[in-house]
């Protein structure tokens, strides 16, 4: 646990009692704060009382007497589409609002670091797609290279649930726009921006607000080094704002669509080959095509980002390559779960939007595509140019028929359920084809989350294969 600093004797309110909220409560108490809590759900409030926590109805004006800070869980809207009533009440009372990410950055460094030989560092990764894989890959490379490391944030454990830093440790954080948007402190040593595509637009009132939330990671704290994907205008704009000129190697530009030879430091991949350039010359390269844990162009972008971070932390090319070759991949992200009779089965349930699904479709040839779910804002028009490798679509979800009508030029079978979709895809799949779950939609019409959807796919495939 990371005890929160500077809160001793202060009364602090915590809104939201999920994983991050409960970790914040424990870390605040460890720092000597008097903590009161609130959650909109009666079961969560009852569980908090069973834990001995003080539950206080923060919707009442008098509840704010003596409260010096509100810590809110990232999933709770603080501005758009409308502020949560408790956050609005905090504003009215003049009480600052923060989240666990802000508490972490102001509490991680301690006086004990003065005795370390190597100062601990924090790598923070954000972006629309690939941030989980990039974060996990960086963590894997560090661990395989013998560097002490921890992984937290939007992936795995809450940031305040981490252990205090060890000598030379690197903490890798995956940060969503929900987390970066509100944190009052954002001071990573290395910050990564993978890419940007439409997502969470209601929460940020459009693309401008969404990008602004991501940009805060770079603008608020000024990282020592920034790794920026420059395949979209937003990334090119961000790199331009951070660099003093094309030779400024504090900014490492990353691309999977073009060569980047005219900059101080860049890493790019074309046709499956990664190249690292510094000040006008190539200094390292890697063939990514046979690394099974990183299939497709979208994973090549993740590999470029992770390579850039690892190199900025002083790791050599051979050590990075060896670690990448042992990377197993993340569950629900281009996860190869089986291969039988020449047919591969891949779970990419995390492909919850059009952009991530398009990247998954580009990673394989001759695809039996399981798709559908709760359609996101903007429709499926962006997928149409990427359907060339689809042999047939098997559409799931409550609105499967409406989803299928937006897939012109390909055969689409209305299956509705995962069980039926897997059954039909397996019946019709031929050697050399891939049965791919890449829904291009949220899961909430049928499942609690994308993980549950992916586990259902895995269970259906394995059941039919007798495994």
């Amino acid at each position: 646990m990371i005890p929160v600093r500077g809160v001793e004797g202060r009364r602090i309110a915590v809104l939201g009692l999920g994983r991050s909220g409960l970790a914040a409560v424990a870390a605040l108490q460890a720092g000597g704060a008097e903590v009161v809590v609130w959650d909109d759900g009666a079961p969560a409030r009852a569980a908090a009382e069973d834990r001995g926590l003080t539950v206080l109805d923060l919707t009442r004006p008098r509840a704010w007497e003596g409260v010096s800070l509100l810590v809110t869980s990232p999933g709770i809207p603080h501005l758009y589409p409308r502020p949560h009533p408790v956050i609005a009440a905090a504003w009215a009372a003049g009480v600052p609002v923060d989240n666990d990410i802000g508490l972490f950055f102001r509490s991680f460094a301690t006086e004990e670091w003065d005795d370390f030989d190597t100062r601990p560092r924090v790598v923070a990764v954000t972006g629309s797609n690939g941030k989980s894989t990039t974060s996990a890959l960086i963590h894997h490379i560090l661990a395989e290279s013998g560097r002490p490391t921890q992984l937290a944030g939007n992936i795995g454990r809450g940031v305040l649930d981490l252990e205090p830093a060890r000598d030379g440790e690197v903490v890798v954080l995956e940060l969503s726009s929900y987390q970066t948007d509100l944190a009052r402190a954002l001071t990573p040593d290395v910050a990564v921006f993978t890419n940007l595509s439409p997502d969470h637009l209601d929460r940020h009132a459009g693309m401008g607000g969404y990008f602004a939330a991501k940009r805060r990671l770079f603008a608020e704290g000024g990282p020592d080094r920034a790794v920026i994907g420059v395949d979209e205008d937003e990334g090119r704009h961000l790199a331009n704002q951070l660099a003093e000129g094309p030779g400024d190697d504090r900014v490492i530009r990353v691309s999977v669509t073009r060569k980047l030879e005219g900059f101080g430091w860049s890493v790019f991949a074309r046709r499956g080959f990664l190249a690292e350039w510094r000040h006008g010359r190539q200094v390292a390269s890697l063939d990514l095509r046979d690394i099974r844990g990183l299939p497709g162009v979208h994973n090549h972008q993740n590999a470029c980002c992770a390579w850039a971070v690892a190199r900025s932390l002083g790791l050599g090319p051979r050590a990075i390559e060896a670690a990448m070759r042992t990377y197993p991949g993340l569950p629900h992200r281009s996860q190869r779960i089986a291969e039988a009779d020449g047919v591969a089965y891949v779970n990419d349930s995390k492909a919850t939007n059009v952009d991530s699904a398009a990247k998954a479709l580009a990673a394989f040839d001759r695809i039996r595509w399981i798709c559908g779910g709760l359609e996101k804002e903007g429709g499926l028009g962006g997928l149409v140019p990427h359907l060339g490798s689809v042999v047939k679509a098997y559409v799931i979800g409550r609105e499967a028929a409406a989803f299928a009508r937006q897939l012109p030029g390909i055969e689409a079978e209305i299956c509705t359920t995962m069980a039926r979709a897997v059954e039909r895809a397996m019946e019709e799949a031929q050697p050399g084809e891939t049965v791919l779950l890449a829904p291009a939609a949220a899961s909430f019409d049928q499942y609690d989350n994308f993980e549950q959807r992916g586990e259902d796919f895995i269970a259906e495939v394995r059941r039919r294969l007798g495994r």
Side-chain angles (χ1 to χ4, degrees):
M1 181 195 304
I2 307 295
V4 179
R5 297 159 65 85
V7 297
E8 187 172 0
R10 297 171 59 189
R11 192 175 214 218
I12 295 177
V14 174
L15 173 63
L17 297 173
R19 182 191 68 182
S20 66
L22 291 174
V25 169
L28 286 162
Q29 290 177 330
E34 175 196 350
V35 180
V36 298
V37 303
W38 181 254
D39 192 284
D40 290 338
R45 297 196 298 268
E49 289 179 336
D50 290 342
R51 289 170 174 256
L53 300 178
T54 301
V55 177
L56 182 64
D57 187 348
L58 297 173
T59 63
R60 298 180 178 178
R62 294 194 64 181
W64 295 96
E65 293 176 2
V67 174
S68 62
L69 178 70
L70 173 65
V71 177
T72 181
S73 295
I76 297 173
H78 66 275
L79 190 55
Y80 303 111
R82 64 189 59 83
H84 187 279
V86 169
I87 294 177
W91 294 347
V95 174
V97 182
D98 204 349
N99 62 16
D100 61 331
I101 304 301
L103 298 182
F104 168 84
F105 276 111
R106 81 184 204 187
S107 304
F108 186 51
T110 65
E111 291 82 1
E112 286 77 13
W113 289 21
D114 294 338
D115 298 323
F116 289 166
D117 291 329
T118 304
R119 181 176 64 85
R121 307 186 77 183
V122 177
V123 175
V125 181
T126 195
S128 295
N129 300 303
K131 57 184 180 293
S132 295
T133 295
T134 299
S135 301
L137 181 56
I138 293 167
H139 175 67
H140 177 79
I141 292 168
L142 291 165
E144 290 292 298
S145 302
R147 295 283 293 272
T149 180
Q150 298 184 76
L151 176 66
N154 201 47
I155 183 173
R157 61 203 299 196
V159 292
L160 293 172
D161 196 36
L162 290 168
E163 298 301 320
R166 295 168 286 174
D167 193 338
E169 186 164 53
V170 180
V171 169
V172 183
L173 303 180
E174 179 199 340
L175 299 182
S176 71
S177 59
Y178 291 6
Q179 292 169 310
T180 59
D181 198 18
L182 186 62
R184 295 171 70 92
L186 284 169
T187 54
D189 298 282
V190 182
V192 181
F193 176 87
T194 58
N195 52 59
L196 198 77
S197 61
D199 208 359
H200 309 305
L201 300 188
D202 58 336
R203 175 67 181 264
H204 300 292
M207 279 293 287
Y210 180 45
F211 176 53
K214 302 285 189 186
R215 184 181 176 275
R216 289 191 76 244
L217 183 62
F218 303 84
E220 295 297 315
D224 295 335
R225 181 152 277 127
V227 176
I228 309 292
V230 295
D231 287 335
E232 294 89 28
D233 284 342
E234 292 87 353
R236 288 188 284 272
H237 167 71
L238 183 57
N240 182 269
Q241 284 207 316
L242 294 173
E244 293 297 325
D248 187 349
D249 62 9
R250 295 173 302 171
V251 176
I252 307 176
R253 290 167 171 84
V254 166
S255 176
V256 288
T257 64
R258 69 195 74 185
K259 289 185 176 181
L260 299 172
E261 300 174 358
F263 300 99
W265 199 344
S266 63
V267 181
F268 57 88
R270 299 182 77 243
R271 300 184 181 91
F273 288 89
L274 178 151
E276 177 187 358
W277 281 67
R278 293 200 201 184
H279 299 292
R281 68 184 186 90
Q282 183 173 316
V283 297
S285 63
L286 172 62
D287 186 350
L288 297 167
R289 295 173 300 174
D290 61 347
I291 299 180
R292 293 193 66 176
L294 297 167
V297 173
H298 62 304
N299 274 312
H300 295 173
Q301 183 184 56
N302 301 333
C304 287
C305 290
W307 179 284
V309 170
R311 292 288 279 148
S312 74
L313 295 172
L315 274 64
R318 290 185 180 179
I320 300 171
E321 177 179 352
M324 283 188 175
R325 292 193 180 282
T326 63
Y327 176 66
L330 280 176
H332 315 298
R333 297 161 178 86
S334 296
Q335 177 190 13
R336 184 182 290 261
I337 60 171
E339 189 167 336
D341 300 324
V343 178
Y345 297 87
V346 177
N347 166 31
D348 204 333
S349 183
K350 185 60 171 66
T352 59
N353 59 36
V354 166
D355 187 63
S356 56
K359 291 174 179 176
L361 291 172
F364 306 98
D365 298 320
R366 298 172 57 195
I367 297 170
R368 301 278 172 177
W369 180 32
I370 298 177
C371 58
L374 189 62
E375 185 181 331
K376 292 192 174 181
E377 184 178 348
L380 304 177
L383 267 178
V384 174
H386 305 280
L387 301 179
S389 58
V390 175
V391 177
K392 182 177 177 179
Y394 305 82
V395 189
I396 64 174
R398 295 178 184 173
E399 303 296 331
F403 195 101
R405 284 195 292 270
Q406 298 184 64
L407 304 174
I410 64 170
E411 182 182 358
E413 181 174 335
I414 310 303
C415 296
T416 308
T417 67
M418 183 69 74
R420 178 62 175 167
V422 171
E423 177 185 31
R424 292 291 298 133
M426 293 182 75
E427 286 176 351
E428 298 185 341
Q430 301 297 313
E433 294 180 344
T434 297
V435 175
L436 171 68
L437 171 65
S443 59
F444 304 125
D445 60 332
Q446 292 181 308
Y447 302 95
D448 290 340
N449 48 53
F450 73 84
E451 292 97 339
Q452 189 182 80
R453 177 173 58 191
E455 292 299 333
D456 192 18
F457 172 72
I458 293 171
E460 290 294 337
V461 169
R462 289 178 174 170
R463 181 172 68 84
R464 286 177 168 77
L465 292 178
R467 298 181 181 179

